[in-house]
Amino acid sequence: LDRDFGHKMDQEPHEWHVVNFFELTEGRDKVAKVAHNVARFMLWYFKDCPEKHAVVLDRASRVDHSLTDARRLFKLLKGLDFMHRLFVISIDLRLGPFVQKLLHCNLKALSKLHEILCLTFYFFYFLFDNLSYLQRVIFIEWDGKKLNTDAKRCWFYGVTAALLADILKALDGAPPRAKLIKDSCDFVVALQFAGLFPRYSPPEGLTAICSIISGFISLLSIWARTTPAQRRKRKRAKSQ
C-alpha cells in the first residue's frame, strides 16, 4: 500500500501538491489573507461611486467581515510557534560571546538580536490579538479595544525588527529577496494599523496593495515547501 501510495504521488505531483498545501492551517490562512485584502482593495477602489458599484461593494464588505473573523480563528494559539522558536534560539545562544559581538557591532549578531526582538514582539502580538478575540466571543471582562491596540503596536514593532534584520543581512551578505519585499510591504501595512504616526500613515489603497503582495509571497513560500519532493525530503531527514 505504501509503495502504491508513493508511486501515485510521483505520478500526480500537482494534485497531491494542492492537497499538501491545503492540509496546512497556514496555507489556508494565506489564501484567506489574499482574498481578504483583495476585498479591502475593492472597498477602497469603488468607495467614490457607491451607487454605481453597490453590488460589488456589498459583496466585498461581506467577504471582508467574514474573513476578518475567520483569520482571527486561524491565529488562535499561533503565538506558541514563536515561543518555541525563541526557546530553540535560547538553547543555541551563548550569551557571553553574543554580547561581545554586539559590542563590536558584528552584523550577524545584530541581525540575530533583531530576529529575537521580532519573534518576541510577534509572540505578544498573537497573545493580545487572541485575547481581544476571546474577549469578544466569550464575553470576558477585558478591555478589548486596548488589547487590539496593543496587538497592532506589537505587530508594528515586530515587523520593524524583521525589516532591520533583513537590512543587516543585506549588508553582511545576500538575504532572500522575497522576504525583504514581504517585510517591507508588511511594514507599510503595520505603519497604518498601529496608528503611532498618523502624519505618516500611508493611504488605504497602498496598504491594501502591500497586503496583497505580502500575502502572495507568503502563499508562494508555503507552496514551495509543500511540493511532494520537499515533503519526502523532510520525511527522510526525520527518519535519519
Short mmCIF file of all heavy atoms in Angstrom, two decimals, residues 82-125:
data_model
loop_
_atom_site.label_atom_id
_atom_site.label_comp_id
_atom_site.label_asym_id
_atom_site.label_seq_id
_atom_site.Cartn_x
_atom_site.Cartn_y
_atom_site.Cartn_z
N PHE A 82 6.01 30.92 17.94
CA PHE A 82 7.07 31.90 18.15
C PHE A 82 7.75 31.68 19.51
O PHE A 82 8.96 31.90 19.64
CB PHE A 82 6.51 33.31 18.04
CG PHE A 82 6.04 33.65 16.66
CD1 PHE A 82 4.72 33.47 16.29
CD2 PHE A 82 6.93 34.12 15.70
CE1 PHE A 82 4.28 33.76 15.01
CE2 PHE A 82 6.51 34.41 14.42
CZ PHE A 82 5.18 34.23 14.07
N MET A 83 6.99 31.23 20.50
CA MET A 83 7.59 30.91 21.79
C MET A 83 8.58 29.74 21.63
O MET A 83 9.68 29.76 22.20
CB MET A 83 6.50 30.53 22.80
CG MET A 83 7.04 30.19 24.17
SD MET A 83 5.76 29.54 25.27
CE MET A 83 4.76 31.00 25.50
N HIS A 84 8.18 28.75 20.85
CA HIS A 84 9.05 27.59 20.62
C HIS A 84 10.32 28.01 19.88
O HIS A 84 11.43 27.56 20.22
CB HIS A 84 8.30 26.53 19.82
CG HIS A 84 9.15 25.35 19.45
ND1 HIS A 84 9.66 25.16 18.19
CD2 HIS A 84 9.60 24.31 20.20
CE1 HIS A 84 10.38 24.05 18.18
NE2 HIS A 84 10.36 23.52 19.36
N ARG A 85 10.19 28.87 18.89
CA ARG A 85 11.36 29.33 18.14
C ARG A 85 12.31 30.13 19.02
O ARG A 85 13.54 30.03 18.90
CB ARG A 85 10.91 30.14 16.92
CG ARG A 85 10.28 29.25 15.85
CD ARG A 85 9.43 30.04 14.89
NE ARG A 85 10.20 30.95 14.05
CZ ARG A 85 9.66 31.74 13.13
NH1 ARG A 85 8.34 31.72 12.94
NH2 ARG A 85 10.41 32.52 12.39
N LEU A 86 11.76 30.94 19.93
CA LEU A 86 12.60 31.66 20.89
C LEU A 86 13.32 30.69 21.81
O LEU A 86 14.50 30.90 22.15
CB LEU A 86 11.74 32.63 21.71
CG LEU A 86 11.34 33.94 21.03
CD1 LEU A 86 10.27 34.65 21.86
CD2 LEU A 86 12.55 34.85 20.84
N PHE A 87 12.64 29.64 22.22
CA PHE A 87 13.24 28.63 23.09
C PHE A 87 14.41 27.94 22.39
O PHE A 87 15.47 27.72 22.97
CB PHE A 87 12.18 27.61 23.51
CG PHE A 87 12.72 26.48 24.34
CD1 PHE A 87 13.10 26.68 25.65
CD2 PHE A 87 12.84 25.20 23.79
CE1 PHE A 87 13.61 25.63 26.41
CE2 PHE A 87 13.35 24.16 24.54
CZ PHE A 87 13.73 24.36 25.85
N VAL A 88 14.23 27.60 21.11
CA VAL A 88 15.29 26.95 20.33
C VAL A 88 16.50 27.87 20.20
O VAL A 88 17.65 27.43 20.35
CB VAL A 88 14.76 26.54 18.94
CG1 VAL A 88 15.90 26.05 18.05
CG2 VAL A 88 13.69 25.46 19.06
N ILE A 89 16.27 29.15 19.94
CA ILE A 89 17.36 30.11 19.82
C ILE A 89 18.10 30.25 21.14
O ILE A 89 19.34 30.30 21.18
CB ILE A 89 16.83 31.49 19.36
CG1 ILE A 89 16.38 31.43 17.91
CG2 ILE A 89 17.90 32.57 19.53
CD1 ILE A 89 15.75 32.72 17.41
N SER A 90 17.35 30.28 22.26
CA SER A 90 17.97 30.44 23.58
C SER A 90 18.87 29.26 23.93
O SER A 90 19.86 29.42 24.64
CB SER A 90 16.90 30.63 24.65
OG SER A 90 16.12 29.44 24.80
N ILE A 91 18.53 28.05 23.43
CA ILE A 91 19.36 26.88 23.70
C ILE A 91 20.71 26.99 23.01
O ILE A 91 21.76 26.68 23.58
CB ILE A 91 18.62 25.59 23.25
CG1 ILE A 91 17.39 25.34 24.14
CG2 ILE A 91 19.55 24.38 23.29
CD1 ILE A 91 16.56 24.17 23.70
N ASP A 92 20.69 27.44 21.76
CA ASP A 92 21.92 27.52 20.97
C ASP A 92 22.73 28.79 21.23
O ASP A 92 23.90 28.86 20.82
CB ASP A 92 21.58 27.44 19.47
CG ASP A 92 20.91 26.13 19.11
OD1 ASP A 92 21.17 25.13 19.79
OD2 ASP A 92 20.12 26.12 18.15
N LEU A 93 22.13 29.76 21.90
CA LEU A 93 22.79 31.06 22.06
C LEU A 93 23.72 31.06 23.27
O LEU A 93 23.32 30.69 24.38
CB LEU A 93 21.73 32.16 22.23
CG LEU A 93 22.22 33.60 22.16
CD1 LEU A 93 22.69 33.93 20.75
CD2 LEU A 93 21.10 34.55 22.57
N ARG A 94 24.95 31.47 23.05
CA ARG A 94 25.91 31.66 24.14
C ARG A 94 25.97 33.14 24.47
O ARG A 94 26.45 33.94 23.66
CB ARG A 94 27.29 31.14 23.73
CG ARG A 94 27.32 29.63 23.49
CD ARG A 94 28.72 29.16 23.14
NE ARG A 94 28.76 27.73 22.94
CZ ARG A 94 29.86 27.05 22.60
NH1 ARG A 94 31.00 27.71 22.44
NH2 ARG A 94 29.82 25.74 22.44
N LEU A 95 25.48 33.48 25.64
CA LEU A 95 25.24 34.88 25.97
C LEU A 95 26.51 35.73 25.98
O LEU A 95 26.54 36.83 25.42
CB LEU A 95 24.53 34.99 27.33
CG LEU A 95 24.03 36.37 27.72
CD1 LEU A 95 23.03 36.88 26.68
CD2 LEU A 95 23.39 36.36 29.10
N GLY A 96 27.58 35.21 26.60
CA GLY A 96 28.82 35.99 26.72
C GLY A 96 29.40 36.37 25.36
O GLY A 96 29.58 37.57 25.07
N PRO A 97 29.71 35.40 24.50
CA PRO A 97 30.23 35.74 23.17
C PRO A 97 29.26 36.57 22.34
O PRO A 97 29.69 37.44 21.57
CB PRO A 97 30.45 34.36 22.53
CG PRO A 97 30.62 33.42 23.67
CD PRO A 97 29.73 33.95 24.74
N PHE A 98 27.97 36.32 22.52
CA PHE A 98 26.96 37.07 21.77
C PHE A 98 27.00 38.55 22.14
O PHE A 98 26.96 39.43 21.27
CB PHE A 98 25.58 36.49 22.03
CG PHE A 98 24.47 37.20 21.31
CD1 PHE A 98 24.36 37.13 19.92
CD2 PHE A 98 23.52 37.93 22.01
CE1 PHE A 98 23.35 37.78 19.25
CE2 PHE A 98 22.49 38.59 21.34
CZ PHE A 98 22.41 38.51 19.96
N VAL A 99 27.09 38.85 23.44
CA VAL A 99 27.15 40.24 23.91
C VAL A 99 28.43 40.92 23.41
O VAL A 99 28.42 42.08 23.00
CB VAL A 99 27.07 40.31 25.44
CG1 VAL A 99 27.33 41.73 25.95
CG2 VAL A 99 25.70 39.82 25.92
N GLN A 100 29.55 40.18 23.42
CA GLN A 100 30.80 40.75 22.93
C GLN A 100 30.70 41.11 21.44
O GLN A 100 31.19 42.16 21.01
CB GLN A 100 31.94 39.75 23.15
CG GLN A 100 32.35 39.60 24.60
CD GLN A 100 33.52 38.65 24.78
OE1 GLN A 100 33.96 38.02 23.81
NE2 GLN A 100 34.02 38.52 26.00
N LYS A 101 30.07 40.25 20.67
CA LYS A 101 29.89 40.54 19.24
C LYS A 101 28.99 41.76 19.04
O LYS A 101 29.22 42.57 18.14
CB LYS A 101 29.29 39.32 18.53
CG LYS A 101 30.25 38.15 18.41
CD LYS A 101 29.58 36.97 17.73
CE LYS A 101 30.54 35.79 17.61
NZ LYS A 101 29.90 34.62 16.96
N LEU A 102 27.97 41.89 19.90
CA LEU A 102 27.10 43.05 19.80
C LEU A 102 27.86 44.34 20.10
O LEU A 102 27.68 45.36 19.43
CB LEU A 102 25.92 42.92 20.78
CG LEU A 102 24.82 41.91 20.42
CD1 LEU A 102 23.79 41.83 21.54
CD2 LEU A 102 24.13 42.32 19.11
N LEU A 103 28.74 44.28 21.11
CA LEU A 103 29.52 45.46 21.47
C LEU A 103 30.49 45.86 20.36
O LEU A 103 30.83 47.04 20.22
CB LEU A 103 30.29 45.20 22.77
CG LEU A 103 29.43 45.04 24.03
CD1 LEU A 103 30.29 44.65 25.22
CD2 LEU A 103 28.66 46.33 24.32
N HIS A 104 30.91 44.88 19.57
CA HIS A 104 31.80 45.16 18.44
C HIS A 104 31.03 45.39 17.14
O HIS A 104 31.61 45.44 16.06
CB HIS A 104 32.79 44.00 18.25
CG HIS A 104 33.83 43.92 19.31
ND1 HIS A 104 33.65 43.24 20.50
CD2 HIS A 104 35.08 44.48 19.39
CE1 HIS A 104 34.73 43.34 21.25
NE2 HIS A 104 35.62 44.10 20.61
N CYS A 105 29.69 45.52 17.27
CA CYS A 105 28.82 45.82 16.12
C CYS A 105 28.94 44.77 15.01
O CYS A 105 28.97 45.09 13.82
CB CYS A 105 29.10 47.21 15.55
SG CYS A 105 28.74 48.54 16.73
N ASN A 106 29.04 43.50 15.43
CA ASN A 106 29.07 42.41 14.45
C ASN A 106 27.71 42.32 13.76
O ASN A 106 26.67 42.24 14.42
CB ASN A 106 29.40 41.09 15.17
CG ASN A 106 29.48 39.92 14.22
OD1 ASN A 106 28.47 39.31 13.90
ND2 ASN A 106 30.69 39.60 13.78
N LEU A 107 27.69 42.32 12.43
CA LEU A 107 26.43 42.37 11.68
C LEU A 107 25.58 41.13 11.91
O LEU A 107 24.35 41.22 12.02
CB LEU A 107 26.72 42.53 10.18
CG LEU A 107 27.27 43.90 9.75
CD1 LEU A 107 27.57 43.90 8.27
CD2 LEU A 107 26.28 45.01 10.09
N LYS A 108 26.21 39.97 11.99
CA LYS A 108 25.44 38.74 12.22
C LYS A 108 24.80 38.75 13.61
O LYS A 108 23.65 38.32 13.78
CB LYS A 108 26.34 37.51 12.06
CG LYS A 108 26.76 37.24 10.63
CD LYS A 108 27.58 35.96 10.52
CE LYS A 108 27.94 35.69 9.05
NZ LYS A 108 28.77 34.46 8.92
N ALA A 109 25.54 39.24 14.61
CA ALA A 109 24.99 39.31 15.96
C ALA A 109 23.85 40.32 16.03
O ALA A 109 22.83 40.07 16.68
CB ALA A 109 26.09 39.68 16.95
N LEU A 110 24.02 41.46 15.37
CA LEU A 110 22.95 42.47 15.34
C LEU A 110 21.71 41.93 14.64
O LEU A 110 20.58 42.16 15.06
CB LEU A 110 23.45 43.74 14.65
CG LEU A 110 24.48 44.57 15.40
CD1 LEU A 110 25.06 45.65 14.50
CD2 LEU A 110 23.85 45.20 16.65
N SER A 111 21.93 41.19 13.55
CA SER A 111 20.81 40.57 12.84
C SER A 111 20.09 39.56 13.72
O SER A 111 18.86 39.51 13.76
CB SER A 111 21.31 39.90 11.56
OG SER A 111 20.27 39.22 10.91
N LYS A 112 20.87 38.76 14.46
CA LYS A 112 20.27 37.77 15.37
C LYS A 112 19.48 38.47 16.48
O LYS A 112 18.39 38.00 16.86
CB LYS A 112 21.38 36.92 15.98
CG LYS A 112 20.90 35.88 16.99
CD LYS A 112 20.02 34.83 16.35
CE LYS A 112 20.81 33.93 15.45
NZ LYS A 112 19.99 32.82 14.89
N LEU A 113 19.99 39.59 17.00
CA LEU A 113 19.28 40.34 18.04
C LEU A 113 17.93 40.82 17.52
O LEU A 113 16.91 40.71 18.21
CB LEU A 113 20.13 41.54 18.48
CG LEU A 113 19.46 42.50 19.47
CD1 LEU A 113 19.14 41.80 20.78
CD2 LEU A 113 20.34 43.73 19.70
N HIS A 114 17.91 41.34 16.28
CA HIS A 114 16.65 41.81 15.72
C HIS A 114 15.69 40.65 15.43
O HIS A 114 14.47 40.82 15.52
CB HIS A 114 16.92 42.63 14.45
CG HIS A 114 17.42 44.01 14.73
ND1 HIS A 114 18.77 44.29 14.85
CD2 HIS A 114 16.78 45.18 14.94
CE1 HIS A 114 18.92 45.58 15.12
NE2 HIS A 114 17.73 46.15 15.16
N GLU A 115 16.22 39.49 15.10
CA GLU A 115 15.37 38.31 14.92
C GLU A 115 14.71 37.92 16.25
O GLU A 115 13.53 37.58 16.29
CB GLU A 115 16.19 37.15 14.38
CG GLU A 115 16.57 37.28 12.91
CD GLU A 115 17.37 36.10 12.42
OE1 GLU A 115 17.42 35.07 13.13
OE2 GLU A 115 17.95 36.19 11.33
N ILE A 116 15.48 37.99 17.33
CA ILE A 116 14.93 37.68 18.66
C ILE A 116 13.85 38.69 19.04
O ILE A 116 12.78 38.31 19.55
CB ILE A 116 16.07 37.66 19.72
CG1 ILE A 116 17.02 36.50 19.45
CG2 ILE A 116 15.49 37.57 21.13
CD1 ILE A 116 18.28 36.53 20.29
N LEU A 117 14.13 39.98 18.80
CA LEU A 117 13.12 41.01 19.08
C LEU A 117 11.87 40.80 18.23
O LEU A 117 10.74 40.95 18.72
CB LEU A 117 13.72 42.40 18.81
CG LEU A 117 14.80 42.87 19.77
CD1 LEU A 117 15.41 44.18 19.27
CD2 LEU A 117 14.22 43.06 21.17
N CYS A 118 12.07 40.43 16.97
CA CYS A 118 10.95 40.18 16.06
C CYS A 118 10.07 39.05 16.59
O CYS A 118 8.85 39.20 16.67
CB CYS A 118 11.48 39.84 14.67
SG CYS A 118 10.22 39.26 13.52
N LEU A 119 10.68 37.93 16.97
CA LEU A 119 9.91 36.79 17.48
C LEU A 119 9.19 37.15 18.78
O LEU A 119 8.05 36.73 19.01
CB LEU A 119 10.85 35.60 17.71
CG LEU A 119 11.47 34.97 16.46
CD1 LEU A 119 12.49 33.91 16.85
CD2 LEU A 119 10.39 34.37 15.57
N THR A 120 9.86 37.94 19.63
CA THR A 120 9.25 38.35 20.91
C THR A 120 8.02 39.21 20.67
O THR A 120 6.95 38.98 21.26
CB THR A 120 10.27 39.11 21.77
OG1 THR A 120 11.43 38.30 21.97
CG2 THR A 120 9.66 39.48 23.12
N PHE A 121 8.14 40.21 19.82
CA PHE A 121 7.00 41.09 19.54
C PHE A 121 5.88 40.34 18.82
O PHE A 121 4.70 40.60 19.08
CB PHE A 121 7.45 42.30 18.71
CG PHE A 121 8.17 43.35 19.51
CD1 PHE A 121 9.46 43.75 19.17
CD2 PHE A 121 7.57 43.94 20.62
CE1 PHE A 121 10.12 44.72 19.90
CE2 PHE A 121 8.22 44.91 21.36
CZ PHE A 121 9.50 45.30 21.00
N TYR A 122 6.23 39.42 17.93
CA TYR A 122 5.20 38.63 17.26
C TYR A 122 4.45 37.76 18.25
O TYR A 122 3.23 37.57 18.14
CB TYR A 122 5.82 37.75 16.17
CG TYR A 122 6.06 38.46 14.86
CD1 TYR A 122 6.89 37.92 13.88
CD2 TYR A 122 5.46 39.69 14.58
CE1 TYR A 122 7.12 38.57 12.68
CE2 TYR A 122 5.68 40.35 13.39
CZ TYR A 122 6.51 39.78 12.44
OH TYR A 122 6.73 40.42 11.25
N PHE A 123 5.18 37.21 19.23
CA PHE A 123 4.51 36.41 20.26
C PHE A 123 3.47 37.25 21.01
O PHE A 123 2.32 36.82 21.20
CB PHE A 123 5.53 35.86 21.25
CG PHE A 123 4.91 35.30 22.50
CD1 PHE A 123 4.25 34.08 22.48
CD2 PHE A 123 4.96 36.01 23.69
CE1 PHE A 123 3.66 33.56 23.64
CE2 PHE A 123 4.38 35.51 24.84
CZ PHE A 123 3.72 34.28 24.81
N PHE A 124 3.86 38.46 21.42
CA PHE A 124 2.92 39.32 22.15
C PHE A 124 1.80 39.82 21.24
O PHE A 124 0.66 40.02 21.70
CB PHE A 124 3.66 40.49 22.80
CG PHE A 124 4.40 40.11 24.04
CD1 PHE A 124 5.78 40.00 24.04
CD2 PHE A 124 3.71 39.82 25.21
CE1 PHE A 124 6.46 39.63 25.18
CE2 PHE A 124 4.38 39.45 26.37
CZ PHE A 124 5.77 39.35 26.35
N TYR A 125 2.11 40.00 19.95
CA TYR A 125 1.05 40.38 19.01
C TYR A 125 -0.05 39.32 18.97
O TYR A 125 -1.24 39.63 19.11
CB TYR A 125 1.63 40.58 17.62
CG TYR A 125 0.61 40.47 16.51
CD1 TYR A 125 -0.46 41.36 16.42
CD2 TYR A 125 0.69 39.45 15.56
CE1 TYR A 125 -1.41 41.25 15.42
CE2 TYR A 125 -0.26 39.34 14.55
CZ TYR A 125 -1.30 40.23 14.49
OH TYR A 125 -2.24 40.11 13.50
#
